[in-house]
Amino acid sequence: MATLGIDGLVSGLDTTSLINQLMQVESGPQTLLKTKQTATTSLVTALQALNTKVSSLADAATKAATASSWQVAKATSSASSVTATTSAGATAAALSFTVDEVATSQVSLASYDDLVAGLGGATTLTLRRPDGTTTEVAVGESAADLAKNISASGAGVSAAVVTANGTTRLQLTGTAPGAANAFELLAGKAADVADGQPPLTTTSLRAAGDAAITLWAGTSGAQQVTSSTNTFADVLTGVSISVSAVEAAPVTLTVGRDTSAVTALASGLVGSLGVVLSEITSRTTATTTTDTDGRTVVSGGLFAGESATRDLQQRLQQAASYPVDGISPSTVGIVVGRDGTFTFDQTTFEAALAADPAKVQKVVSGLAQRVADVATRTSDKVDGSLTLQIAGQQTLVSDMGDQIANWDVRLALRRESLQRTYSALEVTLSGLQSQSSWLSSQLASLSTSSS
């Protein structure tokens, strides 16, 4: 709202400064509200960051507490051309085999002129699989047309036109390996192909074949297993074996516990726990600074007055440090320090795992379940204690925002009132000054007439 300047019109007073000083006093409560709102907003941000870390801890702890997470196996091969991946159900095993063949796709070469001659005027040719499946293909007007139609037919064969020394040929390549994906070309439509009709002439560059391995090669129990791909998924439960080259010498595939994965499971739990506890500690610790006048100022952390975060810290420390069925976590490498921090001793963990895997799983998964219970109750998206606390603080920030806005209106009205008051004062003083001048002039004229 625009106002006329009234500084010192009659009184000589700096009324703008006076009003500003009065308004500064009047706005004291609003200033306190703004300071509190800023502090509460910072607290909300810190609590949200903590809640995210607690949620991650809940995930890590839940995983470590799940039995299937411990049933992880790793396969190693004595040959680089043989690899294997494991899944649920894989158990310790050692298997010896030779790789007799790798799976191949068919590659054939056909002279375009010979194909046309073999068609005998037919405008359609048929591709046939070993199982009798057929696909009809329009010949078209050129080698390019025929190649395009074969590739687009969905028969699982791609065709390319190759011209060398004046001869145009079609290179036909099966898109999938395995003997079942072999193919031959026949003249005419599928319905017109006669029993025993010979296929069109092609040159075989590579035959379609299955991959083959022989288990227990060289023994009376030798068994050959084939696959249309280079992967054998059913030889060992939970293990998928892939081959890429012939191996005449026996290959040994060993399946055992994946120690690195189990170690990462336990160390990840301790690491996530440390992140949460460190976050609480850093946000609670007081800081010391020096004021402008040289005085030492000690300021509490954002969580210094938060009993909920202190309670969370204590509950997590208890959950992770108490024995499991009388067995201390330190015996499996989870060590708690005097300051309440946790560290992971990988050497101790791996030694304990080698000596008694069941004991290690029992201790770590039991501890993890306790931590998961605490973390989940705290960070649940609907009714977690920390989630509800954040929502309450956000409501408080919003309420303070409304109060600050109301104060803006009250202060604006108060400033306007003060401006009217001082403006009226100037007008009054101006009138009094005019009366004084008039009286002075009247007195002066009386003195002149009496003389």
Side-chain angles (χ1 to χ4, degrees), residues 156-209:
V157 179
S158 64
V161 178
V162 182
T163 302
N165 298 320
T167 301
T168 298
R169 298 176 175 84
L170 269 68
Q171 179 176 301
L172 307 172
T173 304
T175 57
N181 292 309
F183 59 88
E184 58 184 2
L185 306 182
L186 299 165
K189 294 183 177 181
D192 299 332
V193 173
D195 292 339
Q197 177 178 328
L200 296 172
T201 302
T202 60
T203 300
S204 176
L205 302 183
R206 184 177 68 202

Tab-separated table of all heavy atoms in Angstrom, residues 156-209:
chain	number	residue	atom	x	y	z
A	156	GLY	N	12.725	-69.019	-39.782
A	156	GLY	CA	13.958	-69.174	-39.011
A	156	GLY	C	15.182	-69.284	-39.887
A	156	GLY	O	16.186	-69.893	-39.499
A	157	VAL	N	15.107	-68.705	-41.079
A	157	VAL	CA	16.223	-68.732	-42.029
A	157	VAL	C	16.417	-67.328	-42.572
A	157	VAL	O	15.446	-66.665	-42.945
A	157	VAL	CB	15.949	-69.700	-43.208
A	157	VAL	CG1	17.126	-69.688	-44.185
A	157	VAL	CG2	15.685	-71.105	-42.691
A	158	SER	N	17.675	-66.887	-42.588
A	158	SER	CA	17.975	-65.601	-43.219
A	158	SER	C	18.726	-65.866	-44.506
A	158	SER	O	19.466	-66.845	-44.625
A	158	SER	CB	18.835	-64.720	-42.289
A	158	SER	OG	20.097	-65.308	-42.066
A	159	ALA	N	18.508	-64.983	-45.489
A	159	ALA	CA	19.122	-65.169	-46.805
A	159	ALA	C	19.835	-63.897	-47.234
A	159	ALA	O	19.355	-62.799	-46.986
A	159	ALA	CB	18.057	-65.558	-47.829
A	160	ALA	N	20.983	-64.094	-47.878
A	160	ALA	CA	21.749	-62.956	-48.384
A	160	ALA	C	22.203	-63.265	-49.806
A	160	ALA	O	22.564	-64.414	-50.117
A	160	ALA	CB	22.956	-62.678	-47.489
A	161	VAL	N	22.159	-62.268	-50.685
A	161	VAL	CA	22.584	-62.433	-52.073
A	161	VAL	C	24.081	-62.161	-52.158
A	161	VAL	O	24.556	-61.110	-51.716
A	161	VAL	CB	21.820	-61.472	-53.000
A	161	VAL	CG1	22.312	-61.610	-54.439
A	161	VAL	CG2	20.321	-61.738	-52.920
A	162	VAL	N	24.832	-63.125	-52.706
A	162	VAL	CA	26.282	-62.996	-52.850
A	162	VAL	C	26.633	-63.238	-54.309
A	162	VAL	O	26.261	-64.273	-54.885
A	162	VAL	CB	27.034	-64.012	-51.961
A	162	VAL	CG1	28.546	-63.826	-52.106
A	162	VAL	CG2	26.619	-63.868	-50.504
A	163	THR	N	27.346	-62.288	-54.930
A	163	THR	CA	27.762	-62.422	-56.334
A	163	THR	C	29.279	-62.506	-56.398
A	163	THR	O	29.981	-61.629	-55.872
A	163	THR	CB	27.265	-61.242	-57.169
A	163	THR	OG1	25.841	-61.162	-57.086
A	163	THR	CG2	27.688	-61.382	-58.625
A	164	ALA	N	29.781	-63.572	-57.020
A	164	ALA	CA	31.235	-63.754	-57.161
A	164	ALA	C	31.522	-64.390	-58.506
A	164	ALA	O	30.892	-65.389	-58.888
A	164	ALA	CB	31.768	-64.634	-56.031
A	165	ASN	N	32.467	-63.796	-59.258
A	165	ASN	CA	32.877	-64.313	-60.575
A	165	ASN	C	31.692	-64.504	-61.513
A	165	ASN	O	31.605	-65.497	-62.243
A	165	ASN	CB	33.632	-65.634	-60.418
A	165	ASN	CG	34.902	-65.469	-59.609
A	165	ASN	OD1	35.621	-64.462	-59.769
A	165	ASN	ND2	35.212	-66.427	-58.748
A	166	GLY	N	30.763	-63.566	-61.461
A	166	GLY	CA	29.636	-63.576	-62.371
A	166	GLY	C	28.505	-64.507	-61.982
A	166	GLY	O	27.512	-64.600	-62.708
A	167	THR	N	28.631	-65.205	-60.845
A	167	THR	CA	27.579	-66.129	-60.412
A	167	THR	C	26.883	-65.575	-59.174
A	167	THR	O	27.541	-65.188	-58.216
A	167	THR	CB	28.164	-67.518	-60.085
A	167	THR	OG1	28.816	-68.037	-61.267
A	167	THR	CG2	27.068	-68.474	-59.641
A	168	THR	N	25.560	-65.546	-59.221
A	168	THR	CA	24.777	-65.046	-58.089
A	168	THR	C	24.289	-66.223	-57.252
A	168	THR	O	23.678	-67.153	-57.771
A	168	THR	CB	23.572	-64.235	-58.580
A	168	THR	OG1	24.041	-63.107	-59.312
A	168	THR	CG2	22.730	-63.742	-57.403
A	169	ARG	N	24.606	-66.171	-55.975
A	169	ARG	CA	24.229	-67.244	-55.064
A	169	ARG	C	23.451	-66.666	-53.879
A	169	ARG	O	23.578	-65.490	-53.565
A	169	ARG	CB	25.464	-67.986	-54.541
A	169	ARG	CG	26.283	-68.668	-55.632
A	169	ARG	CD	27.523	-69.297	-55.032
A	169	ARG	NE	28.299	-70.059	-56.006
A	169	ARG	CZ	29.201	-69.531	-56.827
A	169	ARG	NH1	29.441	-68.219	-56.789
A	169	ARG	NH2	29.867	-70.298	-57.670
A	170	LEU	N	22.704	-67.542	-53.239
A	170	LEU	CA	22.018	-67.188	-51.996
A	170	LEU	C	22.672	-67.946	-50.849
A	170	LEU	O	22.807	-69.184	-50.911
A	170	LEU	CB	20.530	-67.546	-52.050
A	170	LEU	CG	19.568	-66.460	-52.569
A	170	LEU	CD1	19.835	-66.222	-54.051
A	170	LEU	CD2	18.121	-66.862	-52.341
A	171	GLN	N	23.116	-67.206	-49.835
A	171	GLN	CA	23.629	-67.852	-48.630
A	171	GLN	C	22.479	-67.936	-47.639
A	171	GLN	O	21.923	-66.921	-47.222
A	171	GLN	CB	24.802	-67.065	-48.034
A	171	GLN	CG	25.343	-67.696	-46.753
A	171	GLN	CD	26.566	-66.979	-46.208
A	171	GLN	OE1	27.585	-66.872	-46.884
A	171	GLN	NE2	26.434	-66.482	-44.974
A	172	LEU	N	22.131	-69.138	-47.260
A	172	LEU	CA	20.991	-69.385	-46.374
A	172	LEU	C	21.525	-69.795	-45.004
A	172	LEU	O	22.266	-70.788	-44.893
A	172	LEU	CB	20.106	-70.482	-46.950
A	172	LEU	CG	19.642	-70.279	-48.403
A	172	LEU	CD1	18.928	-71.517	-48.918
A	172	LEU	CD2	18.743	-69.064	-48.497
A	173	THR	N	21.135	-69.066	-43.961
A	173	THR	CA	21.658	-69.311	-42.611
A	173	THR	C	20.516	-69.501	-41.634
A	173	THR	O	19.612	-68.659	-41.536
A	173	THR	CB	22.526	-68.124	-42.140
A	173	THR	OG1	23.568	-67.889	-43.094
A	173	THR	CG2	23.135	-68.419	-40.767
A	174	GLY	N	20.542	-70.607	-40.930
A	174	GLY	CA	19.545	-70.829	-39.889
A	174	GLY	C	19.760	-69.853	-38.741
A	174	GLY	O	20.894	-69.625	-38.322
A	175	THR	N	18.687	-69.292	-38.227
A	175	THR	CA	18.824	-68.298	-37.153
A	175	THR	C	18.960	-68.928	-35.782
A	175	THR	O	19.285	-68.245	-34.814
A	175	THR	CB	17.612	-67.345	-37.157
A	175	THR	OG1	16.407	-68.119	-37.014
A	175	THR	CG2	17.550	-66.540	-38.445
A	176	ALA	N	18.723	-70.238	-35.664
A	176	ALA	CA	18.844	-70.927	-34.382
A	176	ALA	C	19.647	-72.207	-34.581
A	176	ALA	O	19.508	-72.889	-35.606
A	176	ALA	CB	17.476	-71.245	-33.793
A	177	PRO	N	20.498	-72.545	-33.595
A	177	PRO	CA	21.286	-73.778	-33.721
A	177	PRO	C	20.460	-75.001	-33.372
A	177	PRO	O	19.345	-74.912	-32.881
A	177	PRO	CB	22.417	-73.557	-32.708
A	177	PRO	CG	21.773	-72.733	-31.636
A	177	PRO	CD	20.809	-71.828	-32.348
A	178	GLY	N	21.054	-76.184	-33.612
A	178	GLY	CA	20.401	-77.422	-33.240
A	178	GLY	C	19.911	-78.203	-34.438
A	178	GLY	O	19.482	-77.614	-35.448
A	179	ALA	N	19.987	-79.545	-34.342
A	179	ALA	CA	19.576	-80.398	-35.455
A	179	ALA	C	18.115	-80.202	-35.825
A	179	ALA	O	17.728	-80.344	-36.987
A	179	ALA	CB	19.827	-81.865	-35.079
A	180	ALA	N	17.283	-79.851	-34.822
A	180	ALA	CA	15.853	-79.662	-35.094
A	180	ALA	C	15.599	-78.444	-35.951
A	180	ALA	O	14.501	-78.293	-36.503
A	180	ALA	CB	15.090	-79.526	-33.771
A	181	ASN	N	16.590	-77.579	-36.081
A	181	ASN	CA	16.420	-76.356	-36.867
A	181	ASN	C	17.081	-76.440	-38.238
A	181	ASN	O	17.288	-75.420	-38.895
A	181	ASN	CB	16.982	-75.166	-36.095
A	181	ASN	CG	16.170	-74.853	-34.853
A	181	ASN	OD1	14.951	-74.726	-34.918
A	181	ASN	ND2	16.829	-74.769	-33.706
A	182	ALA	N	17.400	-77.650	-38.679
A	182	ALA	CA	17.883	-77.838	-40.047
A	182	ALA	C	16.740	-77.546	-41.029
A	182	ALA	O	15.567	-77.520	-40.639
A	182	ALA	CB	18.395	-79.262	-40.227
A	183	PHE	N	17.073	-77.333	-42.289
A	183	PHE	CA	16.030	-77.025	-43.270
A	183	PHE	C	16.471	-77.501	-44.650
A	183	PHE	O	17.657	-77.706	-44.917
A	183	PHE	CB	15.739	-75.512	-43.299
A	183	PHE	CG	16.939	-74.676	-43.643
A	183	PHE	CD1	17.272	-74.388	-44.969
A	183	PHE	CD2	17.771	-74.181	-42.634
A	183	PHE	CE1	18.378	-73.613	-45.281
A	183	PHE	CE2	18.887	-73.412	-42.938
A	183	PHE	CZ	19.186	-73.126	-44.250
A	184	GLU	N	15.467	-77.680	-45.533
A	184	GLU	CA	15.731	-77.986	-46.933
A	184	GLU	C	14.710	-77.244	-47.780
A	184	GLU	O	13.636	-76.881	-47.291
A	184	GLU	CB	15.654	-79.493	-47.191
A	184	GLU	CG	14.328	-80.128	-46.832
A	184	GLU	CD	14.330	-81.639	-47.021
A	184	GLU	OE1	15.386	-82.170	-47.393
A	184	GLU	OE2	13.276	-82.270	-46.802
A	185	LEU	N	15.080	-77.009	-49.064
A	185	LEU	CA	14.211	-76.276	-49.985
A	185	LEU	C	13.556	-77.253	-50.951
A	185	LEU	O	14.220	-78.139	-51.515
A	185	LEU	CB	15.021	-75.243	-50.769
A	185	LEU	CG	15.863	-74.246	-49.960
A	185	LEU	CD1	16.553	-73.261	-50.881
A	185	LEU	CD2	14.995	-73.501	-48.952
A	186	LEU	N	12.253	-77.069	-51.154
A	186	LEU	CA	11.501	-77.919	-52.073
A	186	LEU	C	10.741	-77.043	-53.058
A	186	LEU	O	10.269	-75.954	-52.710
A	186	LEU	CB	10.507	-78.795	-51.311
A	186	LEU	CG	11.122	-79.776	-50.292
A	186	LEU	CD1	10.045	-80.297	-49.361
A	186	LEU	CD2	11.808	-80.920	-51.030
A	187	ALA	N	10.599	-77.532	-54.299
A	187	ALA	CA	9.898	-76.770	-55.325
A	187	ALA	C	8.388	-76.909	-55.129
A	187	ALA	O	7.879	-78.005	-54.845
A	187	ALA	CB	10.291	-77.260	-56.708
A	188	GLY	N	7.679	-75.762	-55.261
A	188	GLY	CA	6.235	-75.791	-55.194
A	188	GLY	C	5.689	-75.470	-53.822
A	188	GLY	O	6.427	-75.307	-52.849
A	189	LYS	N	4.347	-75.433	-53.759
A	189	LYS	CA	3.678	-75.179	-52.487
A	189	LYS	C	3.718	-76.427	-51.617
A	189	LYS	O	3.903	-77.538	-52.115
A	189	LYS	CB	2.227	-74.759	-52.733
A	189	LYS	CG	2.095	-73.421	-53.451
A	189	LYS	CD	0.629	-73.020	-53.595
A	189	LYS	CE	0.496	-71.644	-54.260
A	189	LYS	NZ	-0.922	-71.222	-54.387
A	190	ALA	N	3.518	-76.222	-50.324
A	190	ALA	CA	3.615	-77.335	-49.382
A	190	ALA	C	2.630	-78.448	-49.732
A	190	ALA	O	2.965	-79.642	-49.648
A	190	ALA	CB	3.356	-76.829	-47.966
A	191	ALA	N	1.429	-78.083	-50.151
A	191	ALA	CA	0.412	-79.092	-50.463
A	191	ALA	C	0.745	-79.881	-51.714
A	191	ALA	O	0.237	-80.993	-51.923
A	191	ALA	CB	-0.951	-78.419	-50.613
A	192	ASP	N	1.612	-79.303	-52.574
A	192	ASP	CA	1.928	-79.946	-53.850
A	192	ASP	C	3.200	-80.781	-53.777
A	192	ASP	O	3.547	-81.470	-54.749
A	192	ASP	CB	2.091	-78.891	-54.944
A	192	ASP	CG	0.817	-78.083	-55.148
A	192	ASP	OD1	-0.269	-78.645	-54.882
A	192	ASP	OD2	0.917	-76.897	-55.535
A	193	VAL	N	3.902	-80.694	-52.652
A	193	VAL	CA	5.160	-81.445	-52.533
A	193	VAL	C	4.834	-82.928	-52.409
A	193	VAL	O	4.094	-83.361	-51.523
A	193	VAL	CB	5.977	-80.976	-51.308
A	193	VAL	CG1	7.191	-81.881	-51.111
A	193	VAL	CG2	6.405	-79.538	-51.495
A	194	ALA	N	5.352	-83.728	-53.330
A	194	ALA	CA	5.072	-85.163	-53.343
A	194	ALA	C	5.971	-85.905	-52.360
A	194	ALA	O	7.063	-85.458	-52.034
A	194	ALA	CB	5.294	-85.712	-54.757
A	195	ASP	N	5.467	-87.034	-51.871
A	195	ASP	CA	6.274	-87.859	-50.979
A	195	ASP	C	7.531	-88.313	-51.706
A	195	ASP	O	7.473	-88.783	-52.857
A	195	ASP	CB	5.479	-89.083	-50.512
A	195	ASP	CG	4.330	-88.699	-49.593
A	195	ASP	OD1	4.397	-87.594	-49.009
A	195	ASP	OD2	3.370	-89.493	-49.466
A	196	GLY	N	8.646	-88.175	-51.037
A	196	GLY	CA	9.899	-88.603	-51.647
A	196	GLY	C	10.469	-87.616	-52.638
A	196	GLY	O	11.483	-87.892	-53.292
A	197	GLN	N	9.844	-86.453	-52.787
A	197	GLN	CA	10.352	-85.453	-53.732
A	197	GLN	C	11.716	-84.966	-53.253
A	197	GLN	O	11.875	-84.572	-52.100
A	197	GLN	CB	9.363	-84.281	-53.828
A	197	GLN	CG	9.841	-83.159	-54.746
A	197	GLN	CD	8.801	-82.036	-54.839
A	197	GLN	OE1	7.609	-82.304	-54.763
A	197	GLN	NE2	9.271	-80.813	-55.003
A	198	PRO	N	12.713	-84.970	-54.116
A	198	PRO	CA	14.060	-84.550	-53.705
A	198	PRO	C	14.104	-83.035	-53.486
A	198	PRO	O	13.398	-82.273	-54.166
A	198	PRO	CB	14.938	-84.972	-54.879
A	198	PRO	CG	14.015	-84.988	-56.051
A	198	PRO	CD	12.677	-85.419	-55.520
A	199	PRO	N	14.926	-82.601	-52.542
A	199	PRO	CA	15.047	-81.159	-52.319
A	199	PRO	C	15.829	-80.479	-53.432
A	199	PRO	O	16.528	-81.144	-54.213
A	199	PRO	CB	15.796	-81.084	-50.983
A	199	PRO	CG	16.604	-82.342	-50.940
A	199	PRO	CD	15.742	-83.379	-51.611
A	200	LEU	N	15.696	-79.167	-53.520
A	200	LEU	CA	16.480	-78.400	-54.476
A	200	LEU	C	17.956	-78.481	-54.095
A	200	LEU	O	18.316	-78.639	-52.928
A	200	LEU	CB	16.004	-76.947	-54.483
A	200	LEU	CG	14.559	-76.724	-54.950
A	200	LEU	CD1	14.146	-75.262	-54.727
A	200	LEU	CD2	14.393	-77.095	-56.418
A	201	THR	N	18.807	-78.356	-55.098
A	201	THR	CA	20.244	-78.537	-54.899
A	201	THR	C	20.854	-77.358	-54.144
A	201	THR	O	20.685	-76.205	-54.541
A	201	THR	CB	20.959	-78.699	-56.246
A	201	THR	OG1	20.405	-79.822	-56.935
A	201	THR	CG2	22.452	-78.911	-56.039
A	202	THR	N	21.523	-77.669	-53.043
A	202	THR	CA	22.271	-76.658	-52.276
A	202	THR	C	23.603	-77.261	-51.862
A	202	THR	O	23.773	-78.491	-51.860
A	202	THR	CB	21.508	-76.212	-51.013
A	202	THR	OG1	21.299	-77.353	-50.170
A	202	THR	CG2	20.169	-75.564	-51.354
A	203	THR	N	24.542	-76.390	-51.542
A	203	THR	CA	25.844	-76.823	-51.038
A	203	THR	C	25.902	-76.555	-49.547
A	203	THR	O	25.658	-75.428	-49.104
A	203	THR	CB	26.983	-76.056	-51.731
A	203	THR	OG1	26.907	-76.302	-53.146
A	203	THR	CG2	28.345	-76.504	-51.193
A	204	SER	N	26.196	-77.589	-48.775
A	204	SER	CA	26.248	-77.427	-47.316
A	204	SER	C	27.587	-76.830	-46.899
A	204	SER	O	28.649	-77.397	-47.191
A	204	SER	CB	26.048	-78.783	-46.636
A	204	SER	OG	26.186	-78.648	-45.240
A	205	LEU	N	27.527	-75.684	-46.252
A	205	LEU	CA	28.735	-75.080	-45.689
A	205	LEU	C	28.910	-75.467	-44.218
A	205	LEU	O	30.030	-75.596	-43.729
A	205	LEU	CB	28.653	-73.546	-45.791
A	205	LEU	CG	28.484	-72.974	-47.198
A	205	LEU	CD1	28.485	-71.438	-47.132
A	205	LEU	CD2	29.592	-73.459	-48.127
A	206	ARG	N	27.781	-75.680	-43.536
A	206	ARG	CA	27.822	-76.127	-42.138
A	206	ARG	C	26.481	-76.761	-41.808
A	206	ARG	O	25.420	-76.192	-42.062
A	206	ARG	CB	28.078	-74.951	-41.192
A	206	ARG	CG	28.217	-75.364	-39.716
A	206	ARG	CD	28.533	-74.163	-38.865
A	206	ARG	NE	27.419	-73.234	-38.780
A	206	ARG	CZ	27.533	-71.939	-38.469
A	206	ARG	NH1	28.719	-71.435	-38.239
A	206	ARG	NH2	26.456	-71.168	-38.415
A	207	ALA	N	26.551	-77.927	-41.229
A	207	ALA	CA	25.325	-78.642	-40.896
A	207	ALA	C	24.793	-78.168	-39.548
A	207	ALA	O	25.551	-77.752	-38.669
A	207	ALA	CB	25.584	-80.139	-40.856
A	208	ALA	N	23.479	-78.242	-39.390
A	208	ALA	CA	22.882	-77.933	-38.096
A	208	ALA	C	23.114	-79.113	-37.167
A	208	ALA	O	22.915	-80.269	-37.555
A	208	ALA	CB	21.392	-77.670	-38.260
A	209	GLY	N	23.579	-78.825	-35.949
A	209	GLY	CA	23.862	-79.926	-35.031
A	209	GLY	C	23.636	-79.541	-33.586
A	209	GLY	O	23.648	-78.358	-33.225
